[in-house]
């Protein structure tokens, strides 16, 4: 993967109208810059009511227990890497997103939605390291997830993430791979691997096996060598294993989870689960 | 989903490879062990949430001669910065790499030449740091590691010609 440094050094600066200290390089992303033009105050309030309207005990417990001690800041790699800029601290991310929304009861304009979407989608990895260092063990990433859900309901999501979500809706994998392409790739890898290991087999839809292995969709698409490596390891170890090709649910990556599209997310998980249960597997091994 | 108890075990390949190695189904060829210094990146999902840290260290110690720990490690590791869907955001790659200088410093402090990254998502993140900061290291998966070092019985090797 080649990255050009020249295009990445942004000269223009984005300044938030809500938070004077939030200054970032300007990065054009159609998913954020174009979609905020469609927003109306009614739409924003409706999405706010859907996500934060009930004010459940879990949200309240997290928001009201936090004492702003800032221990989470030292845990965040964004904060440490950006010369300890306080706007990158997890507590600041929550303050600028969920607290701001709850303080204003969802009556905000599109400018704030842009800031919020930028913070929750591009400055937090939901890695849970901050919760590990919180003296109360508050689940900060749960709040970030809720705000992601709020942004998803408004459609303000970075373009590539939304695009991948729609790919999942249409094909149940992230790379537009059809069933016939998938089966063809597995046959091809079996043929290639035979030169290195005698009688290499990639079993498909075998029942009563020890292991069902679900790849990442990028493996048959861009890294097919992973498939014959796994096949070689399993063959040498004498594992009775199989891959699933009988329907579209074989991709173990779940991108809808990241933007909190619960419907597509549960479709994927249910599909994988039912496939493994139908083959009566003892173990379900997802890819690395 | 209708099942309170899942009728099968769900695991990361690292955990399964550990089982294969411990039970002796897969053997490592001592002559093929990796000689270069290696380090291990701990992916958040399987380490911090599923606690597979010691299993991963067992695999690395079996297959590599010079294993160096990053600091902090195990469940206190830093994220690869590609988690939470950032791995797919091509427009934001340099933003993402700038946001993870600590990981680059962490890798360089070990002096390792190979970073073992047992996660596709993390590989994207580590590769963007390597490209951005021009680090003299390369990434490797567990499957590549095991395919290169495992003992293959004579009868499984293909015939000449």
């Amino acid at each position: 993967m080649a990255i050009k440094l020249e295009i990445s050094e942004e000269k223009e600066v984005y300044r938030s109208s809500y938070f004077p200290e939030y200054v970032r390089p300007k990065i054009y992303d159609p998913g954020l810059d174009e979609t905020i033009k469609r927003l109306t105050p009614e739409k924003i309030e409706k999405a706010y009511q859907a996500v934060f309207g009930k004010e459940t005990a879990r949200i309240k417990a997290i928001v009201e227990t936090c004492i702003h001690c800032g221990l989470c800041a030292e845990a965040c790699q964004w904060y440490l890497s950006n010369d300890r800029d306080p706007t990158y601290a997890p507590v600041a991310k929550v303050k600028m997103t969920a607290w701001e929304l709850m303080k204003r009861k969802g009556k905000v304009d599109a400018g704030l939605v842009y800031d919020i979407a930028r913070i929750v989608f591009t400055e937090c990895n939901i890695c849970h390291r901050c919760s590990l260092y919180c003296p109360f063990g508050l689940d900060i990433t749960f709040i970030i997830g809720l705000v992601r859900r709020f942004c998803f309901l408004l459609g303000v999501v970075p373009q590539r993430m939304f695009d991948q979500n729609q790919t999942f809706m249409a094909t149940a994998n992230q790379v537009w791979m059809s069933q016939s392409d998938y089966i063809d790739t597995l046959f091809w890898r079996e043929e290639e691997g035979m030169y290195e290991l005698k009688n290499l087999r990639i079993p498909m839809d075998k029942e009563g096996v020890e292991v069902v292995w679900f790849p990442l969709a990028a493996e048959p698409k861009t890294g097919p060598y992973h498939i014959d490596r796994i096949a070689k390891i399993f063959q040498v170890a004498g594992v009775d294993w199989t891959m699933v090709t009988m329907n579209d649910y074989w991709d173990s990556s779940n991108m809808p989870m990241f933007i909190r599209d619960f419907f597509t997310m549960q479709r994927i998980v249910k599909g994988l689960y039912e496939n493994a249960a139908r083959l009566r597997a003892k173990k379900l091994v997802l890819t690395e | 989903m209708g099942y309170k108890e899942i009728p099968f075990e769900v695991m990361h390949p690292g955990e399964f490879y550990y089982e294969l190695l411990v039970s002796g189904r897969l053997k490592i060829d001592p002559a093929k062990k990796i000689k270069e210094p290696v380090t291990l990146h701990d992916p958040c999902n399987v380490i911090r949430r599923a606690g597979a840290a010691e299993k991963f260290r067992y695999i690395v110690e079996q297959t590599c001669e010079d294993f160096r720990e990053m600091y902090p490690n195990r469940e206190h590791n830093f994220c690869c910065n590609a988690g939470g869907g950032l791995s797919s955001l091509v427009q934001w790659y340099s933003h993402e790499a700038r946001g993870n200088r600590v990981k680059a410093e962490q890798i360089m402090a070990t002096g390792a030449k190979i970073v073992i990254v047992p996660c596709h998502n993390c590989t994207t993140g580590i590769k963007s740091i390597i490209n951005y900061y021009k680090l003299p290291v390369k990434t490797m998966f567990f499957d590549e590691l095991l395919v290169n070092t495992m003992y293959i019985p004579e009868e499984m090797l293909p015939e000449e010609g």
Side-chain angles (χ1 to χ4, degrees), chain A residues 1-274:
Chain A
M1 173 199 332
I3 297 171
K4 278 193 173 173
L5 271 176
E6 299 82 58
I7 54 157
S8 62
E9 297 304 327
E10 296 83 5
K11 296 285 183 291
E12 276 186 83
V13 172
Y14 170 76
R15 276 170 212 282
S16 163
S17 51
Y18 277 85
F19 316 107
E21 61 279 11
Y22 188 79
V23 180
R24 295 282 188 274
K26 199 166 178 61
I27 299 171
Y28 179 71
D29 190 325
L32 301 181
D33 293 278
E34 303 299 328
T35 49
I36 54 165
K37 291 174 190 163
R38 298 202 294 259
L39 297 180
T40 57
E42 297 81 51
K43 275 188 189 171
I44 297 172
E45 204 173 341
K46 203 178 161 197
Y48 172 81
Q49 289 301 334
V51 180
F52 291 96
K54 284 181 204 149
E55 294 228 350
T56 57
R58 195 174 173 191
I59 304 176
K60 267 192 173 169
I62 295 174
V63 170
E64 287 171 14
T65 315
C66 178
I67 53 162
H68 308 53
C69 63
L71 277 176
C72 52
E74 292 287 332
C76 185
Q77 81 272 12
W78 283 98
Y79 172 80
L80 294 174
S81 301
N82 288 292
D83 302 319
R84 296 173 188 264
D85 180 348
T87 55
Y88 280 104
V91 62
K93 288 172 197 167
V94 174
K95 182 175 174 286
M96 288 194 282
T97 58
W99 291 353
E100 197 68 23
L101 280 173
M102 290 167 88
K103 203 170 80 187
R104 294 167 191 267
K105 298 267 175 244
K107 292 181 179 60
V108 296
D109 69 8
L112 185 72
V113 176
Y114 175 84
D115 292 350
I116 285 176
R118 193 169 167 157
I119 291 166
V120 292
F121 284 114
T122 72
E123 288 166 17
C124 176
N125 300 99
I126 316 200
C127 73
H128 265 145
R129 199 170 187 263
C130 44
S131 298
L132 204 67
Y133 289 89
C134 177
F136 300 102
L138 299 177
D139 197 349
I140 297 163
T141 51
F142 167 70
I143 297 286
I144 299 283
L146 279 180
V147 183
R148 282 192 179 200
R149 172 85 181 153
F150 166 77
C151 293
F152 165 68
L153 291 178
L154 290 172
V156 185
V157 176
Q159 193 194 25
R160 285 271 300 163
M161 272 190 196
F162 209 67
D163 177 70
Q164 279 192 336
N165 189 40
Q166 284 169 338
T167 314
F168 266 104
M169 287 175 188
T171 63
N173 63 60
Q174 52 164 298
V175 289
W176 288 100
M177 197 170 218
S178 65
Q179 191 186 21
S180 50
D181 277 352
Y182 180 56
I183 295 175
D184 209 39
T185 311
L186 298 189
F187 277 132
W188 167 50
R189 289 326 294 179
E190 191 176 85
E191 209 181 309
E192 290 286 314
M194 274 181 196
Y195 296 109
E196 289 156 34
L197 206 68
K198 204 174 174 182
N199 299 331
L200 183 77
R201 297 289 298 155
I202 298 179
M204 296 178 204
D205 303 325
K206 201 172 151 192
E207 286 191 21
V209 286
E210 185 188 350
V211 169
V212 165
W213 185 60
F214 286 122
L216 177 78
E219 286 178 353
K221 189 86 173 182
T222 57
Y225 40 84
H226 285 289
I227 294 171
D228 40 293
R229 279 182 198 155
I230 292 278
K232 280 178 207 160
I233 293 172
F234 283 178
Q235 183 122 343
V236 168
V239 180
D240 186 15
W241 70 293
T242 186
M243 287 178 83
V244 174
T245 57
M246 57 188 158
N247 51 32
D248 286 330
Y249 297 103
W250 48 267
D251 179 9
S252 61
S253 68
N254 201 341
M255 299 311 262
M257 183 184 75
F258 295 133
I259 66 171
R260 298 297 192 268
D261 176 359
F262 296 136
F263 185 77
T264 315
M265 181 173 129
Q266 69 100 19
R267 246 183 76 204
I268 306 290
V269 178
K270 195 175 167 196
L272 295 179
Y273 175 86
E274 282 177 357

Side-chain angles (χ1 to χ4, degrees), chain A residues 210-216 219 230 234 239 241-243 250 252 272 276 281-288, chain B residues 8-17 19-20:
Chain A
E210 185 188 350
V211 169
V212 165
W213 185 60
F214 286 122
L216 177 78
E219 286 178 353
I230 292 278
F234 283 178
V239 180
W241 70 293
T242 186
M243 287 178 83
W250 48 267
S252 61
L272 295 179
K282 290 184 192 68
K283 284 178 187 129
L284 191 157
V285 179
L286 305 171
T287 195
E288 283 183 34
Chain B
F8 42 77
E9 232 180 308
V10 181
M11 43 170 54
H12 182 268
E15 296 172 277
F16 188 64
Y17 297 149
E19 275 181 22
L20 291 180

